[in-house]
Amino acid sequence: MRLSRYFLPVLKENPAEAQIVSHRLMLRAGLIRQASAGIYSWLPLGFKVLRRLEEIVHEEQQRAGHMPMLMPTIQSAELWKESGRYEDYGQEMLRITDRHKRDMLYGPTNEELITDIFRNAVNSYKDLPLTLYHIQWKFRDEIRPRFGVMRGREFLMKDGYNFDLTMEDALHAYNRHMVTYLRTYERMGLKAIPMRADGGPIGGDYTHEFLVLAETGESEVFYDSAVTDLTLGDRDIDFDDVDQCRAIMEEFTTPYARTDETHDEALFGAIPEERRRTARGIEVGQIFYFGTKYSEPMGATVVTENAERVPVHMGSHGIGVSRLVGALIEANHDEKGIIWPEGVAPFPVGIVNLKQGDAGTDDVCESLYGQLIKAGLDPLYDDRNERAGSKFATMDLIGCPWRITVGPRGIKNGVVEVTSRRTGESEEMSAEAAIAKLTTLLADR
Amino acid sequence: MRLSRYFLPVLKENPAEAQIVSHRLMLRAGLIRQASAGIYSWLPLGFKVLRRLEEIVHEEQQRAGHMPMLMPTIQSAELWKESGRYEDYGQEMLRITDRHKRDMLYGPTNEELITDIFRNAVNSYKDLPLTLYHIQWKFRDEIRPRFGVMRGREFLMKDGYNFDLTMEDALHAYNRHMVTYLRTYERMGLKAIPMRADGGPIGGDYTHEFLVLAETGESEVFYDSAVTDLTLGDRDIDFDDVDQCRAIMEEFTTPYARTDETHDEALFGAIPEERRRTARGIEVGQIFYFGTKYSEPMGATVVTENAERVPVHMGSHGIGVSRLVGALIEANHDEKGIIWPEGVAPFPVGIVNLKQGDAGTDDVCESLYGQLIKAGLDPLYDDRNERAGSKFATMDLIGCPWRITVGPRGIKNGVVEVTSRRTGESEEMSAEAAIAKLTTLLADR
């Protein structure tokens, strides 16, 4: 993309209404713009990040055999009355009356709707196991929306639902989801720790939240530092392998890690002192096993091999996709702006032309731009007539992980400069070497 | 995808509530399920088609330099009061009151919101031309929703908005959009004819609707048959070339083609009789130039080279993405089911194993399945223990353009059968030849 043709309305000043750094940077870097309280428009740069996160979520869910679909945003109140949650949900549910005076609502979650789809379509144990999920906008009418997309009213969420014949199968689905979530966050460059959680309005006998450590987190968390050393890396995972998924779940949940809701002072005290940590965390996902809580009252049953009719065992699983953009920035920024992890950067490489209009620098920039596009690296070329300082400031603010700087002096020596946004380190090399280096570094993206 | 693991709840019976063929087939083939009146859940197969259409729209818009973004579904009523459309819109607008008693609404279109974003971000003629678009769910509270996704209440639409300094520039944007729309429909395998239209509530001095001919269309249309012979094909298009875009617009809009709203009996009568056609059409898109209708009252202005402040010239452009799924089926089906054009098929190739569990057929099917995946052809393998007749019926119903049938007799002769869903013609060949043939045929997809 050529910056001269891109819609990137960056702000010079810090917006007064933004209290936390991610909100400030998302406004300043032209990622979002508030439409009304707690409701945002995603400008091209922000939309690109959001779309990238969606892609990663889709890929990791489908890798585990989960089926993408899409439920609508507006639901009838009928199903919620059937499950008994219509009254429970309180004022956070956006209630709507349509022109025929029917009670509708903007879905805050989809247990009822998916259970209804299941009970109408599935009748036999042979069609299990089944996991359906979607990535859809939700609405929660927060009394005091704040912190930008971190606590907005309209937000994008992946929510998935598993249907299994037995508790044992459903617990495999639980573990399998934990593995997919760990993979998802790792690919995004985030360290998200699974912590024992509380069921809340969804309910659930087993539930873990995934928290990203950040000073601005809404939850106080307590953990054994051993948990932050764990990574999945590129190990080969067979999502049908019950033992392997259980072993990974155990590996990641054995070290103590809890939020203040489930914190146990005695267990925490038993951790060697040098590994005891207290911090703040941002919740970016949660998984639940809740058995027959919805299937029983709503009649979501299957016929077993022995011709018995039994309610299915269910769980649900959520990833806060729009909120993740904020969490990523909270965990990856400095005083100059955002520092995108390579896996989620909207533009992984920026090109800065120090002397726009100079035949020499223009030529090298155009050639680099063309070759990077060909290599699939989606570069952002700052081809505007601006001072070098202003171009550097923009690249730093919007957080391109790699910058290639092209100036007349370097060209005389046959080199360009490659700079890492994260470390600030620069290296001079030929344009060809720069392309080879970045192609290798960004190969996994 | 293995059908044994896919969620494809096909219906044997014709659903009583469905009056038109696309609605019937979308329910029967497990593409959608009604959630409430005029509101649908998209099951995995339907979601896959919807996503494919979205991709094509994104690719064609970005090819022309238009910027993707995303505006929210819920809007504040304030901006609509400012433009004067809040009262005009009537009962089709879904009006909502939030917990703080503020007037909100579910956006039926986004002229106000995008103009607000523009006026806050852009100040200079140097930032023009600019076209922003998004693909987002809309809501229109139809009094009598019907015909499935063709006249639903919650529907997915691409809507885009151009901002230009002069009327001349804005008319280039108009022509450029016409070209992108023609390309989009052609890639989807649809013949959509641009017809002179009426401005309606959007307003507009210049406007064309794009109509797909189908017996169940809601509009009566009148046209010169010469218009249906026109195709863009693979001609090279430079979207910055004002003359080329205007020439294409003229080429496609010179033959008479109008809906009953703008029909002119005298002009129609002047067409040679053998080329005069009356038919019905489904509207799948519309483009508008409306000048300063929104920019003037809402103060969306830029400073010109001569330091004057002038309102920008605007247009808007819509493609009914969810409705297109219905239109595609209306135009592509037979008594057995859907016949997807190759460009939009959820699974371009189906594999039918005539004797599941037979070592010979299983081996050949597994090998074909693996190789087709490797070739990027996204096959659907019917690996269920079902009769051949039932497997053929499912493939015909869901409309895979190509079917490879593998049976014990063919294997003895070293051949599989390749069948075209559209023509019904079959050909025997080796498995290798089948892969080579389909890879070539589907290369453009």
Side-chain angles (χ1 to χ4, degrees):
Chain A
M1 180 58 63
R2 290 169 197 277
L3 195 40
S4 64
R5 303 194 75 165
Y6 201 55
F7 182 63
L8 183 70
V10 303
L11 305 180
K12 292 229 164 49
E13 307 295 325
N14 267 327
E17 74 272 29
Q19 296 166 39
I20 62 171
V21 67
S22 60
H23 189 191
R24 221 150 44 220
L25 287 174
M26 288 181 77
L27 290 168
R28 280 198 52 208
L31 268 68
I32 55 169
R33 187 169 187 282
Q34 182 171 302
S36 48
I39 305 180
Y40 293 87
S41 292
W42 294 76
L43 305 183
L45 193 68
F47 176 66
K48 207 157 190 287
V49 179
L50 198 63
R51 196 80 176 168
R52 177 83 190 131
L53 300 188
E54 262 194 63
E55 257 176 51
I56 293 175
V57 171
H58 272 304
E59 283 172 20
E60 294 305 323
Q61 289 307 304
Q62 290 174 48
R63 194 191 302 279
H66 305 160
M67 302 282 151
M69 61 174 299
L70 193 63
M71 287 174 273
T73 60
I74 301 297
Q75 303 181 19
S76 157
E78 292 308 314
L79 289 173
W80 289 76
K81 289 176 181 165
E82 195 180 331
S83 76
R85 289 208 294 178
Y86 189 61
E87 297 310 325
D88 295 357
Y89 236 88
Q91 284 206 286
E92 293 208 345
M93 181 184 270
L94 187 67
R95 290 156 207 264
I96 300 169
T97 308
D98 75 6
R99 69 190 293 173
H100 295 300
K101 307 290 171 229
R102 283 175 298 214
D103 290 333
M104 311 291 287
L105 56 97
Y106 199 120
T109 174
N110 291 68
E111 280 80 6
E112 284 77 0
L113 195 48
I114 197 78
T115 305
D116 182 54
I117 289 170
F118 180 89
R119 71 182 171 187
N120 277 283
V122 177
N123 194 39
S124 160
Y125 75 97
K126 288 183 198 162
D127 293 326
L128 305 183
L130 176 65
T131 296
L132 296 163
Y133 77 93
H134 72 161
I135 302 179
Q136 178 60 294
W137 291 89
K138 315 273 188 294
F139 204 96
R140 193 175 43 203
D141 201 0
E142 292 272 355
I143 190 159
R144 203 152 55 88
R146 60 198 151 139
F147 303 153
V149 301
M150 300 277 280
R151 207 179 181 87
R153 295 201 289 168
E154 187 168 331
F155 58 100
L156 185 62
M157 213 176 124
K158 172 261 170 183
D159 46 318
Y161 305 88
N162 67 288
F163 302 90
D164 287 278
L165 185 59
T166 63
M167 176 173 173
E168 198 186 342
D169 290 351
L171 289 180
H172 170 55
Y174 186 87
N175 298 338
R176 193 178 66 228
H177 277 87
M178 181 169 291
V179 180
T180 65
Y181 279 32
L182 291 169
R183 275 190 63 101
T184 301
Y185 299 124
E186 272 191 24
R187 276 188 66 186
M188 294 177 181
L190 272 181
K191 173 74 74 188
I193 306 170
M195 300 199 181
R196 185 172 297 200
D198 191 54
I202 308 275
D205 309 323
Y206 292 73
T207 174
H208 281 89
E209 281 179 348
F210 294 79
L211 286 107
V212 172
L213 302 178
E215 281 164 31
T216 47
E218 73 275 53
S219 313
E220 193 170 12
V221 300
F222 304 85
Y223 63 96
D224 176 343
S225 68
V227 79
T228 56
D229 298 334
L230 300 169
T231 53
L232 271 181
D234 53 3
R235 59 180 109 171
D236 221 359
I237 290 161
D238 174 356
F239 287 97
D240 290 334
D241 184 334
V242 171
D243 294 334
Q244 190 191 17
C245 291
R246 189 197 302 116
I248 294 174
M249 181 276 288
E250 283 170 0
E251 177 185 350
F252 279 80
T253 59
T254 299
Y256 186 89
R258 298 197 182 181
T259 65
D260 46 9
E261 282 175 349
T262 53
H263 181 53
D264 181 321
E265 209 39 73
L267 288 175
F268 188 58
I271 304 168
E273 195 174 350
E274 71 279 12
R275 296 201 330 237
R276 248 178 265 155
R277 298 282 187 282
T278 307
R280 300 202 70 84
I282 300 168
E283 193 211 321
V284 292
Q286 187 160 6
I287 58 176
F288 299 89
Y289 162 70
F290 45 65
T292 59
K293 172 173 169 162
Y294 297 90
S295 58
E296 220 159 56
M298 294 184 66
T301 60
V302 292
V303 175
T304 68
E305 211 166 357
N306 307 322
E308 283 173 280
R309 189 166 277 284
V310 297
V312 291
H313 286 256
M314 291 174 59
S316 72
H317 334 89
I319 295 181
V321 181
S322 50
R323 150 172 275 238
L324 266 170
V325 182
L328 275 160
I329 296 174
E330 290 293 334
N332 296 281
H333 68 272
D334 62 13
E335 71 290 348
K336 293 183 201 159
I338 303 167
I339 308 173
W340 293 114
E342 287 162 358
V344 299
F347 295 102
V349 185
I351 304 171
V352 168
N353 187 341
L354 290 182
K355 201 171 175 190
Q356 202 70 40
D358 174 273
T361 57
D362 286 5
D363 274 3
V364 172
C365 286
E366 289 292 336
S367 155
L368 274 169
Y369 181 60
Q371 288 180 74
L372 289 167
I373 289 175
K374 226 167 136 186
L377 294 189
D378 204 3
L380 180 68
Y381 172 22
D382 191 343
D383 60 342
R384 299 169 306 160
N385 255 322
E386 295 276 346
R387 289 175 306 104
S390 152
K391 289 189 174 187
F392 288 145
T394 300
M395 285 290 174
D396 286 344
L397 175 62
I398 68 171
C400 287
W402 295 95
R403 189 184 75 211
I404 306 181
T405 310
V406 179
R409 194 162 15 154
I411 287 185
K412 216 181 287 173
N413 302 321
V415 295
V416 299
E417 189 187 57
V418 177
T419 307
S420 158
R421 174 71 180 87
R422 193 170 289 275
T423 66
E425 280 165 26
S426 289
E427 213 184 331
E428 289 194 332
M429 62 188 81
S430 70
E432 294 67 44
I435 289 167
K437 179 190 167 100
L438 294 174
T439 306
T440 309
L441 277 170
L442 297 167
D444 283 347
R445 201 177 122 87
Chain B
M1 179 59 62
R2 289 168 197 278
L3 195 39
S4 64
R5 303 195 75 166
Y6 200 54
F7 182 64
L8 183 70
V10 302
L11 305 180
K12 293 229 164 47
E13 307 295 325
N14 267 327
E17 74 271 30
Q19 298 165 36
I20 61 171
V21 67
S22 60
H23 189 190
R24 222 150 43 222
L25 287 174
M26 287 182 76
L27 291 168
R28 280 197 54 208
L31 267 66
I32 54 168
R33 188 170 186 282
Q34 182 171 300
S36 48
I39 305 181
Y40 293 87
S41 292
W42 293 75
L43 305 183
L45 194 68
F47 177 66
K48 206 158 189 291
V49 179
L50 198 62
R51 194 82 176 167
R52 177 83 190 131
L53 300 189
E54 262 194 63
E55 257 176 49
I56 293 175
V57 171
H58 272 304
E59 283 172 19
E60 293 305 325
Q61 289 307 305
Q62 290 175 48
R63 193 190 304 278
H66 305 159
M67 302 281 150
M69 61 173 302
L70 193 63
M71 287 175 272
T73 60
I74 301 296
Q75 303 181 17
S76 156
E78 291 310 313
L79 288 173
W80 289 75
K81 290 175 180 166
E82 195 180 332
S83 76
R85 288 207 294 177
Y86 189 62
E87 297 310 325
D88 296 356
Y89 237 88
Q91 284 206 286
E92 292 208 345
M93 180 184 271
L94 188 67
R95 290 156 208 264
I96 301 170
T97 309
D98 75 6
R99 69 190 294 173
H100 295 299
K101 308 288 170 230
R102 282 176 298 214
D103 290 334
M104 312 291 289
L105 55 96
Y106 199 119
T109 174
N110 291 68
E111 280 81 6
E112 284 78 359
L113 195 48
I114 198 77
T115 305
D116 182 55
I117 289 170
F118 179 89
R119 72 182 171 187
N120 277 283
V122 178
N123 194 39
S124 161
Y125 74 98
K126 289 184 199 162
D127 293 326
L128 305 181
L130 175 66
T131 296
L132 296 163
Y133 77 93
H134 72 161
I135 303 179
Q136 178 61 294
W137 292 89
K138 314 275 188 293
F139 204 96
R140 192 175 43 202
D141 201 1
E142 292 272 356
I143 189 158
R144 205 153 54 90
R146 59 198 153 138
F147 304 152
V149 301
M150 300 277 280
R151 209 179 178 86
R153 296 201 289 167
E154 187 168 330
F155 58 100
L156 186 62
M157 212 175 126
K158 172 262 169 182
D159 46 318
Y161 306 88
N162 67 288
F163 301 90
D164 287 279
L165 185 58
T166 63
M167 176 173 174
E168 197 187 343
D169 290 351
L171 289 179
H172 170 55
Y174 185 87
N175 298 338
R176 193 176 66 227
H177 277 88
M178 180 169 291
V179 180
T180 66
Y181 279 32
L182 291 170
R183 274 190 63 101
T184 300
Y185 300 124
E186 271 192 23
R187 276 189 66 185
M188 293 177 182
L190 273 180
K191 173 76 71 188
I193 306 170
M195 301 200 180
R196 185 173 297 200
D198 190 55
I202 309 274
D205 309 324
Y206 292 74
T207 174
H208 281 89
E209 282 180 346
F210 293 80
L211 286 108
V212 171
L213 301 179
E215 281 165 29
T216 47
E218 73 274 53
S219 314
E220 193 170 11
V221 300
F222 305 85
Y223 62 96
D224 177 342
S225 69
V227 78
T228 57
D229 298 333
L230 299 170
T231 53
L232 271 180
D234 53 4
R235 59 180 109 171
D236 221 1
I237 291 160
D238 174 356
F239 288 97
D240 291 334
D241 184 334
V242 170
D243 294 334
Q244 190 190 17
C245 291
R246 189 198 301 118
I248 294 174
M249 181 277 287
E250 284 169 358
E251 177 185 350
F252 280 80
T253 58
T254 299
Y256 186 88
R258 298 198 183 181
T259 66
D260 45 9
E261 282 175 348
T262 53
H263 181 53
D264 181 320
E265 210 37 75
L267 289 175
F268 188 59
I271 304 168
E273 194 173 352
E274 70 278 13
R275 297 204 327 240
R276 247 179 265 156
R277 299 282 187 283
T278 307
R280 300 203 69 84
I282 300 167
E283 192 211 322
V284 292
Q286 187 160 5
I287 57 176
F288 299 90
Y289 162 69
F290 45 66
T292 59
K293 173 174 168 161
Y294 298 89
S295 58
E296 218 159 57
M298 293 184 68
T301 60
V302 291
V303 175
T304 67
E305 213 167 354
N306 307 323
E308 283 173 279
R309 188 166 279 282
V310 298
V312 292
H313 286 255
M314 292 174 58
S316 71
H317 334 89
I319 295 181
V321 181
S322 49
R323 152 173 272 237
L324 266 170
V325 181
L328 275 160
I329 296 173
E330 291 292 335
N332 296 280
H333 68 271
D334 62 14
E335 71 291 347
K336 294 183 199 160
I338 303 167
I339 308 173
W340 293 115
E342 286 163 359
V344 299
F347 295 103
V349 185
I351 304 171
V352 168
N353 187 340
L354 290 182
K355 200 171 176 190
Q356 203 70 40
D358 174 273
T361 58
D362 285 6
D363 275 3
V364 171
C365 286
E366 289 293 336
S367 156
L368 275 170
Y369 181 59
Q371 288 179 75
L372 289 167
I373 290 175
K374 227 167 133 184
L377 294 190
D378 203 3
L380 180 68
Y381 172 22
D382 191 344
D383 60 342
R384 298 169 308 161
N385 253 322
E386 296 275 347
R387 287 176 308 103
S390 152
K391 289 189 176 189
F392 289 146
T394 300
M395 285 291 174
D396 285 344
L397 175 62
I398 67 173
C400 288
W402 295 95
R403 189 184 77 211
I404 305 181
T405 309
V406 179
R409 195 161 17 151
I411 287 185
K412 216 180 286 173
N413 302 322
V415 294
V416 299
E417 189 187 56
V418 177
T419 308
S420 157
R421 173 71 180 88
R422 194 170 289 274
T423 66
E425 281 165 24
S426 290
E427 212 185 330
E428 289 194 332
M429 61 188 81
S430 69
E432 293 67 44
I435 289 168
K437 179 190 168 97
L438 295 173
T439 306
T440 308
L441 277 171
L442 297 166
D444 282 345
R445 203 177 121 86

